[in-house]
């Protein structure tokens, strides 16, 4: 009996591998089918990402992030390996099937892992656009004779051969970045001495690997994330050497490093390269071996002139004021441009001598901190904060400090958080709240406490002003801000003090929250955890002692389940779970009666959260691109305060709710709907009966599966006032009995991979076989066609009257298109052929004209017609090898010479194509040549 145990164990050891061997053998075919399926999903995701990257590169000059580049390379490697598996299986060797079976199972898991990574990307491109060879915007002008001399000294050193490394140093807020932006822009405009000018802002805290990434991105290239620092340095060295003579500007350096450690070639007289750094510390200049250029404070006269310029020169004409008090206020700013500008912004429009005396006392009474080079200036900046006076306005300003340093904060998101926090409760209806929010933003910008960014869609905080805000929030109100620091560990429970009011841990690499953590933060009102893509689980007890929470942002995390303790957060106004791509369940929302914002876009929920019908205060509901199987009727009518609504209509089960959505749409400010069937799309459009929401995006997606590219929305339209969009994506709309029904007020029409459309006429309403122009929107401002392989032309001359408001025309990747405008009328065509009339296409409001990757494209107008457009701002042409004429007709001056459109800013075109173009007007090419920026497409 004693032998039974050992024998049994031996039997297990022998049999277990044998059973496993036969299991792999038996399941090989089944696993190969599974591998095929997940590979198709992975390939679909890859195509989506590549399409988005193509558009981002074309429209914004952005490049893939390193993470995405590595992902694409690995997907290619996976596909290659999978193909070899298929070949091995086809050979059918008996004894290799089990080994193959094991490898296939591993490969399936790897494919699933990469598919998950692809879905978890928060962005496909680098956050910062390339600043290689770019003109940079500045928020202030150079001031003072001393500053002018510094600029000229730096310029002479750059143009000369003796100095290769320059260190521009001085205290925070003194104008170092402004000086170097001016130098950067002069280099772009006035010299061909350098092949490239590269601007990189050095992030804090210093991260060598991130700096390498930022320099590569500025070069429109990328570095493999898997390489160690040494290999990355070698690659970067090669990239920079390939540029030849370059200027590298590293802005806001806080510590020194060895150039070779990063991969920066040592600038020298021999290679003609230059390095310029800006820093607050002279030691950094000395460590790198730079020539030291100190930026000093303004003289009294310069400081006064700057102050008067910002506060208004008419201030000296106010009888109740005297120059002495103004001079005293200016003296308190210690000659620092940033302090002068912010204090002047606060005193603009104030004419009472008592207020000026009070302001002077406030400035003099501020206690100076004794640590850090910024101690003096922070006091003056804090004065600007206190001068806001309105407590809610101050809270709105401090809230901006929750975002990472140098972060472009979207205005809409910021205002949404302000509303949820209750900072804008003095007005009741939502449009008025947004108006108030934008008014506050404008005031903060006008006071120089915020800067406008990204064409006005975002705001930023100067790093010194953010330091001041964080100094204030280290006392009361108490903030914990660790945003964008790449933290791996969650803050310990000791750091969660009871009087915490707001916490920001966004954009880190936090993997988990300790299972027993339950911070006692009863007055905590905002918790920002978004973009922690590694975070998978939140403990059930975590929110138990956060009953005051109003804003909870968990977007772009990897959580699968939301803790049930969220159901008891009765003060919660904003619950944001956007693109939590593994989230399958949301607990009951029945008690969250204060909830105004519910964002479940891009989650995997299959059922509407329980209790949603109770949320009568809900203003924003986003259920876009979810896996909902059905949307119960009766819920939408109860949500009386809805302002913005996003829904996906997946199947017939949504038909009833579609009518409810249509009936509600006239009361909405914004509606976004995604349809998988043409019939459903038409039902919705017809149900609105012209009573659609003020803004809408209607998308027809020709697939039962939502693998819709997240960032497909073109960025070129952000500057236009375009509120009504229809997007047709990967669908067929001509090979059906039922024609598509377009809203009569559509302003923007996009077609992407619509394979059966030969012309815009194919999608327009018809009567007796002819296009009914009267029923087609005359408000159309933007037309975009992308990868429509059978597109032959865009529109006929008959349609031209309906396109007089067109502002943007974009055609890309359409293999068959030969011309944009065609003539349908036979008699007109004969006259054109005999040159008895000129085919003139007039588009009086056209601003943007983009043609890209069109192998058969020959001309804009048939029969040698011409385009008349005096409002053009930008032209982009590339990948059009058969294009011979740009067909642009220029107006003539009194002397008979052609003149470019007065609004023209740039023509981006391949040099070879530009040189080969033919022109109808003499000297047209010479007139337009200064606007050309040659690109490689």
């Amino acid at each position: 009996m004693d032998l039974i145990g050992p024998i049994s164990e031996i039997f297990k050891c022998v049999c277990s591998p044998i059973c496993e061997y036969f299991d792999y053998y038996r399941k090989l075919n089944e696993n190969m089918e599974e591998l095929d399926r997940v590979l198709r999903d992975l390939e679909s995701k890859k195509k989506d990402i590549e399409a988005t990257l193509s558009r981002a590169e074309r429209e914004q000059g952005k490049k893939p992030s390193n993470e995405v580049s590595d992902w694409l390379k690995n997907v290619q490697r996976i596909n290659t390996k999978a193909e070899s598996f298929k070949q091995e299986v086809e050979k059918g060797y008996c004894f290799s099937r089990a080994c193959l079976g094991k490898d296939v199972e591993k490969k399936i898991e790897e494919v699933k892992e990469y598919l998950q990574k692809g879905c978890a990307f928060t962005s496909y491109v680098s956050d910062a656009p390339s600043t290689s060879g770019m003109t940079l915007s500045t928020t202030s002008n150079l001031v003072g004779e001393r500053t002018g001399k510094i600029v000229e000294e730096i310029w002479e050193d750059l143009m000369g051969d003796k100095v290769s490394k320059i260190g521009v140093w001085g205290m925070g807020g003194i104008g170092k970045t402004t000086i170097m932006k001016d130098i950067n822009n002069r280099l772009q405009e006035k010299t061909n001495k350098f092949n490239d000018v590269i601007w990189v802002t050095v992030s804090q805290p210093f991260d060598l690997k991130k700096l390498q990434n930022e320099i590569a991105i500025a070069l429109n290239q990328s570095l493999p994330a898997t390489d160690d620092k040494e290999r990355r340095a070698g690659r970067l060295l090669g990239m920079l050497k390939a540029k030849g003579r370059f200027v590298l500007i590293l802005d806001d350096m806080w510590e020194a490093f060895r150039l070779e450690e990063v991969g920066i070639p040592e600038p020298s007289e021999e290679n003609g390269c230059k390095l310029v750094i800006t820093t607050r510390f002279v030691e950094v200049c000395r460590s790198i071996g730079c020539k030291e250029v100190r930026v000093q404070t303004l003289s009294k006269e310069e400081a006064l002139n700057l102050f008067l310029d910002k506060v208004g020169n008419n201030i000296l004409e106010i009888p109740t004021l005297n120059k002495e008090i103004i001079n005293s206020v200016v003296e308190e700013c210690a000659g620092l441009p940033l302090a002068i500008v912010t204090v002047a912004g606060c005193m603009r429009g104030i004419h009472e001598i008592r207020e000026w005396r009070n302001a002077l006392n406030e400035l003099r009474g501020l206690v100076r901190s004794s640590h850090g080079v910024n101690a003096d200036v922070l006091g003056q900046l804090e004065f600007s904060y206190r001068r806001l006076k309105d407590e809610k306005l101050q809270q709105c300003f401090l809230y901006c400090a929750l975002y990472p340093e140098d972060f472009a904060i979207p205005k809409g998101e910021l205002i949404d958080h302000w509303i949820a926090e209750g900072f804008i409760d003095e007005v009741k209806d939502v449009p008025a709240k947004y108006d108030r929010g934008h008014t506050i933003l404008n005031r903060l910008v006008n006071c120089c406490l915020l800067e406008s960014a990204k064409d006005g869609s975002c705001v930023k905080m100067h790093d010194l002003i953010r330091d001041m805000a964080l100094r204030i929030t280290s006392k009361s109100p108490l903030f914990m801000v660790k945003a964008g620091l790449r933290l791996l560990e969650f803050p310990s429970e000791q750091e969660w003090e009871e009087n915490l009011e707001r916490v920001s841990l966004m954009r880190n690499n936090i993997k988990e929250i300790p299972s027993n953590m339950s911070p006692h933060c009863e007055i905590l009102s905002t918790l920002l955890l978004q973009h922690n893509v590694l975070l998978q689980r939140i403990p059930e007890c975590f929110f138990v002692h956060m009953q005051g929470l109003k804003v909870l942002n968990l977007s772009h995390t990897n959580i699968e389940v939301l803790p049930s303790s969220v159901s008891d957060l009765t003060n919660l106004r904003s619950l944001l779970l956007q693109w939590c791509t593994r989230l399958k369940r949301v607990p009951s929302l029945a008690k969250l009666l204060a909830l105004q914002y519910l964002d479940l876009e891009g989650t995997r929920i299959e059922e509407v959260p329980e209790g949603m019908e109770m949320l009568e205060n809900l203003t924003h509901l986003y259920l876009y691109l979810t896996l909902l199987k059905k949307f119960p009727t009766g819920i939408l009518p109860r949500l009386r305060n809805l302002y913005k609504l996003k829904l996906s209509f997946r199947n017939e089960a949504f038909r009833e709710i579609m009518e409810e959505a249509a009936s509600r749409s006239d009361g909405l400010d914004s509606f976004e709907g995604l349809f998988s069937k043409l019939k459903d799309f038409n039902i919705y459009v017809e149900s609105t009966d012209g009573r659609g929401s003020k803004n809408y995006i209607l998308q027809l997606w020709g697939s039962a599966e939502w693998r819709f590219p997240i960032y497909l929305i073109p960025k070129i339209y952000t500057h236009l006032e375009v509120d009504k969009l229809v997007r047709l994506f990967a669908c067929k709309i001509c090979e059906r009995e039922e024609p598509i029904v377009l809203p009569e007020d559509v302003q923007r029409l996009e077609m992407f991979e619509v394979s059966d459309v030969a012309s815009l006429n194919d999608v327009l309403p018809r009567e007796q076989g002819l296009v009914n122009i009267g029923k087609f929107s005359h408000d159309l401002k933007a037309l975009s066609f992308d990868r429509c392989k059978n597109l032959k032309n865009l529109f006929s001359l008959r349609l031209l009257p309906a396109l007089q408001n067109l502002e943007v025309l974009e055609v890309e990747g359409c293999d068959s298109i030969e011309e944009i405008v065609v003539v349908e009328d036979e008699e007109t065509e004969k006259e054109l052929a005999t040159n008895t009339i000129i085919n003139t296409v007039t588009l009086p409001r056209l601003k943007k004209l983009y043609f890209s990757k069109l192998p058969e494209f020959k001309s804009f107008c048939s029969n040698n017609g011409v385009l008349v457009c005096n409002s053009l701002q930008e032209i982009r042409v590339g990948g059009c090898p058969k294009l011979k004429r740009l067909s642009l007709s220029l107006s003539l001056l009194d002397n008979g010479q052609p003149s470019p459109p007065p609004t023209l800013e740039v023509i981006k075109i391949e040099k070879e194509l530009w040189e080969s173009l033919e022109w109808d007007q003499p000297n047209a090419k010479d007139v337009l040549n200064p606007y050309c920026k040659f690109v490689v497409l």
Side-chain angles (χ1 to χ4, degrees):
M1 294 294 292
D2 293 339
L3 293 174
I4 292 176
I7 291 171
S8 175
E9 290 302 314
I10 292 172
F11 184 79
K12 287 179 183 178
C13 292
V14 173
C15 288
S16 180
I18 292 174
C19 292
E20 188 177 352
Y21 177 92
F22 280 108
D23 197 38
Y24 286 133
Y25 183 96
R26 180 174 54 84
K27 288 186 176 180
L28 179 58
N29 290 337
E30 180 183 336
N31 284 339
M32 286 301 295
E33 291 178 3
E34 172 67 7
L35 180 60
D36 275 340
R37 186 188 67 78
V38 294
L39 281 171
R40 285 196 299 272
D41 291 344
L42 186 64
E43 183 63 19
S44 295
K45 188 65 185 175
K46 176 173 172 284
K47 288 180 178 178
D48 290 345
I49 291 177
E50 287 174 337
T52 305
L53 289 174
S54 174
R55 191 181 291 269
E57 180 179 5
R58 182 184 70 256
E59 294 165 3
Q60 298 174 285
K62 289 192 174 185
K63 291 291 181 180
S65 65
N66 293 327
E67 190 178 18
V68 171
S69 293
D70 290 338
W71 184 88
L72 289 169
K73 291 175 184 176
N74 280 313
V75 169
Q76 186 59 46
R77 173 184 57 78
I78 289 170
N79 285 334
T80 302
K81 186 63 177 176
E83 192 60 36
S84 70
F85 284 158
K86 293 177 184 178
Q87 292 173 2
E88 289 294 323
V89 172
E90 288 173 1
K91 291 177 182 177
Y93 297 133
C94 178
F95 292 105
S96 66
R97 286 179 62 86
C99 296
L100 279 171
K102 185 175 183 179
D103 289 342
V104 169
E105 281 201 358
K106 289 182 179 179
K107 187 58 62 177
I108 289 171
E109 292 305 313
E110 185 181 16
V111 172
K112 288 181 177 179
E113 178 187 346
Y114 273 91
L115 183 59
Q116 181 61 48
K117 284 182 180 179
C119 293
F121 287 136
T122 58
S123 176
Y124 300 145
V125 295
S126 168
D127 286 340
S130 164
T131 50
S132 177
M134 284 180 59
T135 300
L136 302 176
S137 61
T138 56
T139 54
S140 55
N141 298 321
L142 296 174
V143 177
E145 184 179 350
R146 294 179 187 176
T147 303
K149 288 181 178 179
I150 288 171
V151 170
E152 291 309 313
E153 179 183 354
I154 297 170
W155 184 259
E156 288 177 10
D157 288 336
L158 288 172
M159 294 299 105
D161 298 324
K162 294 182 180 180
V163 178
S164 298
K165 293 184 287 187
I166 305 167
V168 183
W169 73 281
M171 66 188 304
I174 207 165
K176 303 181 295 295
T177 299
T178 301
I179 287 171
M180 286 316 303
K181 282 186 175 181
D182 182 78
I183 292 286
N184 173 86
N185 294 346
R186 287 178 65 181
L187 286 169
Q188 307 293 342
E189 297 169 2
K190 298 183 179 180
T191 179
N192 294 319
K193 181 179 177 68
F194 302 101
N195 299 330
D196 211 344
V197 181
I198 308 154
W199 179 289
V200 173
T201 300
V202 183
S203 301
Q204 301 301 323
F206 177 73
D207 183 322
L208 188 145
K209 193 172 181 180
K210 188 173 182 182
L211 177 59
Q212 290 173 326
N213 284 342
E214 294 297 331
I215 296 174
I217 289 166
L219 295 170
N220 292 327
Q221 299 192 54
S222 62
L223 294 168
T226 53
D227 280 2
D228 57 26
K229 292 178 182 178
E230 288 74 20
R231 289 190 177 185
R232 291 160 60 83
R235 291 178 187 271
L236 188 58
L237 187 67
M239 294 177 192
L240 286 167
K241 283 186 174 180
K243 286 289 181 183
R245 299 166 68 92
F246 63 81
V247 178
L248 175 60
I249 302 171
L250 299 178
D251 185 45
D252 200 18
M253 281 182 54
W254 282 58
E255 57 185 271
F257 51 77
R258 297 198 312 275
L259 299 185
E260 64 271 19
E261 188 178 19
V262 178
I264 301 171
E266 183 71 29
S268 65
E269 185 175 348
E270 288 72 29
N271 61 27
C273 298
K274 305 281 186 175
L275 172 69
V276 187
I277 67 169
T278 71
T279 179
R280 300 178 189 180
F281 312 102
V282 67
E283 292 82 5
V284 174
C285 300
R286 292 170 181 168
S287 297
I288 296 179
C290 295
K291 174 188 174 180
E292 299 165 23
V293 178
R294 182 178 182 181
V295 182
Q296 297 183 329
T297 55
L298 301 177
S299 67
K300 288 184 179 180
E301 182 181 359
E302 291 168 343
L304 179 61
N305 289 337
L306 176 59
F307 185 86
L308 292 175
D309 180 61
K310 297 301 179 182
V311 80
N313 279 287
N314 63 336
I315 201 76
L316 295 175
E317 301 171 6
I318 306 301
T320 55
L321 295 180
N322 57 66
K323 194 171 183 179
E324 182 180 348
I325 186 98
I326 296 173
N327 278 328
S328 297
V329 169
V330 174
E331 285 176 12
E332 288 301 314
C333 297
L336 287 165
L338 183 61
I340 293 168
V341 167
T342 52
V343 171
C346 294
M347 301 307 294
R348 188 185 298 116
I350 295 176
H351 299 159
E352 283 289 330
I353 185 67
R354 293 183 180 87
E355 287 202 56
W356 278 81
R357 283 201 298 259
N358 180 64
L360 181 59
N361 290 332
E362 285 184 39
L363 280 168
R364 287 172 172 171
L366 290 170
V367 178
R368 309 287 188 182
S369 173
S370 60
H371 42 82
V373 294
N374 304 320
D376 290 336
V377 72
L378 286 180
Q380 286 114 21
L381 297 180
E382 192 169 329
F383 161 81
S384 303
Y385 160 76
R386 296 186 190 284
R387 288 294 302 177
L388 293 174
K389 294 183 180 179
D390 185 321
E391 182 183 350
K392 287 188 177 180
L393 195 60
Q394 291 175 337
Q395 288 178 319
C396 288
F397 163 72
L398 294 177
Y399 204 94
C400 300
L402 293 171
Y403 289 84
E405 183 177 312
D406 291 321
F407 190 79
I409 311 169
K411 288 183 176 180
E413 177 182 316
L414 191 57
I415 294 172
D416 285 343
H417 287 350
W418 288 349
I419 294 173
E421 272 277 5
F423 298 160
I424 311 179
D425 277 349
E426 63 269 28
V427 289
K428 297 303 178 184
D429 67 304
V430 179
K433 288 178 185 289
Y434 278 106
D435 289 344
R436 174 62 178 154
H438 284 286
T439 301
I440 291 172
L441 279 172
N442 289 338
R443 182 168 176 189
L444 293 175
V445 169
N446 291 337
C447 290
C448 301
L449 290 172
L450 293 179
E451 303 171 11
S452 184
K454 288 194 175 180
D455 296 326
S457 62
C458 299
V459 290
K460 292 178 73 172
M461 265 187 154
H462 188 284
D463 55 354
L464 205 56
I465 289 178
R466 184 172 182 268
D467 289 345
M468 176 267 289
L470 291 176
R471 185 173 80 162
I472 294 171
T473 59
S474 65
K475 307 165 190 173
S476 178
L478 185 61
F479 286 17
M480 176 166 62
V481 182
K482 297 186 176 184
L485 300 181
R486 297 192 172 188
L487 297 180
L488 298 175
E489 302 294 330
F490 200 72
S492 64
E493 194 146 8
Q494 289 73 24
E495 296 180 71
W496 293 79
E497 301 182 39
E498 289 188 7
N499 57 341
L500 269 177
E501 293 188 34
R502 293 175 191 101
V503 171
S504 176
L505 300 170
M506 70 169 77
R507 294 184 176 268
N508 283 304
N509 296 321
I510 295 169
K511 293 182 179 179
E512 62 179 356
I513 301 174
S515 59
N516 59 347
M517 182 176 280
S518 183
H520 286 254
C521 299
E522 297 289 349
I523 65 170
L524 183 68
S525 60
T526 287
L527 176 57
L528 305 180
L529 275 165
Q530 66 264 36
H531 290 278
N532 279 284
V533 296
L534 302 178
L535 184 61
Q536 295 185 10
R537 181 179 169 275
I538 300 176
E540 277 292 324
C541 59
F542 185 73
F543 297 109
V544 169
H545 303 294
M546 297 183 182
Q547 295 304 307
L549 206 58
K550 294 178 181 176
V551 178
L552 176 58
N553 195 336
L554 295 166
S555 300
H556 297 280
T557 59
N558 233 1
I559 58 172
E560 295 184 6
V561 177
L562 198 62
S564 57
S565 53
V566 169
S567 298
D568 296 319
L569 299 177
T570 55
N571 288 302
L572 196 64
R573 294 185 177 187
S574 183
L575 178 58
L576 308 175
L577 300 161
Q578 183 187 54
W579 292 103
C580 293
T581 55
R582 298 180 66 184
L583 182 66
K584 298 178 180 177
R585 186 179 68 83
V586 175
S588 173
L589 306 177
K591 297 181 184 178
L592 307 188
L593 302 183
L595 200 64
Q596 298 173 0
Y597 297 79
L598 179 59
D599 190 346
L600 293 165
E601 180 176 341
T603 62
R604 297 182 64 83
I605 62 166
E606 296 182 356
E607 296 181 355
V608 170
E610 179 186 340
M612 202 167 75
E613 68 278 3
M614 305 296 293
L615 308 181
E616 294 190 3
N617 287 311
L618 206 63
T619 57
H620 295 66
L621 175 60
Y622 301 155
L623 290 168
Y624 199 63
L625 290 166
T626 64
L627 296 183
L628 283 178
K629 294 179 178 178
K630 187 177 180 181
F631 194 109
T633 57
I635 292 180
L636 282 182
R638 296 192 63 173
L639 306 180
R640 301 184 183 90
N641 294 304
L642 269 186
Y643 182 72
K644 292 187 178 181
L645 175 63
K646 290 186 180 183
L647 283 175
S648 298
F649 302 97
R650 292 178 59 85
N651 49 46
E652 288 78 4
F654 285 83
R655 291 272 167 83
E656 292 184 30
I657 189 66
M658 195 183 303
E659 294 182 6
E660 288 186 357
S663 65
R664 287 298 315 272
S665 64
D666 59 328
L668 294 173
D669 175 82
S670 177
F671 173 75
E672 191 164 339
L674 178 60
F675 305 83
S676 63
K677 295 182 182 300
L678 176 62
K679 182 177 181 180
D680 293 339
F681 179 92
N682 286 345
I683 287 175
Y684 177 82
V685 173
E686 290 173 338
S687 298
T688 59
D689 192 28
R691 297 175 291 104
S693 56
K694 180 181 177 183
N695 311 293
Y696 62 71
I697 298 178
L698 304 181
Q699 306 193 79
L700 176 58
W701 167 249
S703 173
E705 296 182 10
W706 302 138
R707 52 177 189 86
F708 190 79
I710 304 169
Y711 298 103
L712 187 67
I713 298 176
K715 304 298 182 186
I716 58 173
Y717 301 135
T718 54
H719 67 288
L720 297 175
E721 295 181 2
V722 177
D723 306 314
K724 302 171 189 291
L725 161 68
V726 170
R727 179 181 293 125
L728 311 175
F729 190 97
C731 56
K732 292 185 177 182
I733 55 177
C734 298
E735 298 177 2
R736 305 183 183 220
E737 295 181 4
E738 180 181 15
I740 188 169
V741 179
L742 294 176
E744 292 186 7
D745 58 350
V746 61
Q747 294 181 348
R748 189 161 112 200
L749 179 61
E750 299 174 10
M751 287 187 240
F752 187 91
E753 291 186 1
V754 181
S755 59
D756 63 340
V757 168
S759 169
L760 178 62
N761 292 14
D762 291 345
V763 300
L764 301 183
R766 290 178 173 270
E767 286 186 7
Q768 297 179 348
L770 296 176
V771 173
N772 187 339
I773 298 177
K775 288 190 175 181
F776 177 59
S777 173
H778 289 231
D779 297 324
L780 198 67
K781 293 183 178 181
L783 272 174
S784 177
F785 298 83
D786 197 333
R787 303 189 193 187
C788 299
K789 62 182 182 180
N790 291 315
L791 191 70
K792 299 293 184 184
N793 57 72
L794 293 197
F795 51 86
S796 64
L797 282 177
R798 283 190 69 250
L799 194 58
L800 199 59
L803 299 174
Q804 295 303 289
N805 289 312
L806 193 67
E807 297 182 27
V808 174
L809 180 59
E810 175 189 35
V811 189
E812 178 185 3
C814 299
D815 295 341
S816 302
I817 192 165
E818 297 181 4
E819 52 200 8
I820 303 301
V821 186
V822 294
V823 180
E824 285 183 333
D825 181 72
E826 291 184 8
E827 185 174 340
T828 304
E829 191 168 359
K830 287 179 182 178
E831 292 183 61
L832 289 169
T834 58
N835 293 320
T836 57
I837 64 171
I838 298 175
N839 179 12
T840 301
V841 178
T842 303
L843 295 172
R845 298 189 178 182
L846 191 66
K847 298 177 181 178
K848 311 284 183 179
L849 192 59
Y850 301 152
F851 300 131
S852 176
K853 299 176 183 176
L854 309 175
E856 299 298 323
F857 184 44
K858 297 175 182 176
S859 66
F860 188 91
C861 312
S862 61
N863 298 99
N864 295 323
V866 295
L867 170 64
V868 177
C869 177
N870 291 321
S871 56
L872 271 176
Q873 296 174 355
E874 182 176 350
I875 301 172
R876 293 188 194 178
V877 186
C880 303
K882 294 187 178 181
L883 182 63
K884 298 300 180 186
R885 297 172 64 251
L886 204 54
S887 305
L888 184 63
S889 178
L890 304 179
S891 57
L892 299 178
L893 300 172
D894 292 339
N895 60 6
Q897 292 298 311
S899 172
T903 53
L904 187 63
E905 297 172 359
V906 67
I907 300 174
K908 295 183 179 180
I909 191 170
E910 295 159 310
K911 187 174 183 179
E912 184 178 350
L913 177 58
W914 175 254
E915 292 176 349
S916 69
L917 288 177
E918 300 171 0
W919 298 89
D920 298 325
Q921 296 169 283
N923 303 327
K925 184 175 182 178
D926 294 334
V927 168
L928 295 174
N929 202 60
Y931 297 91
C932 283
K933 182 173 183 180
F934 297 124
V935 295
V936 178
L937 295 178

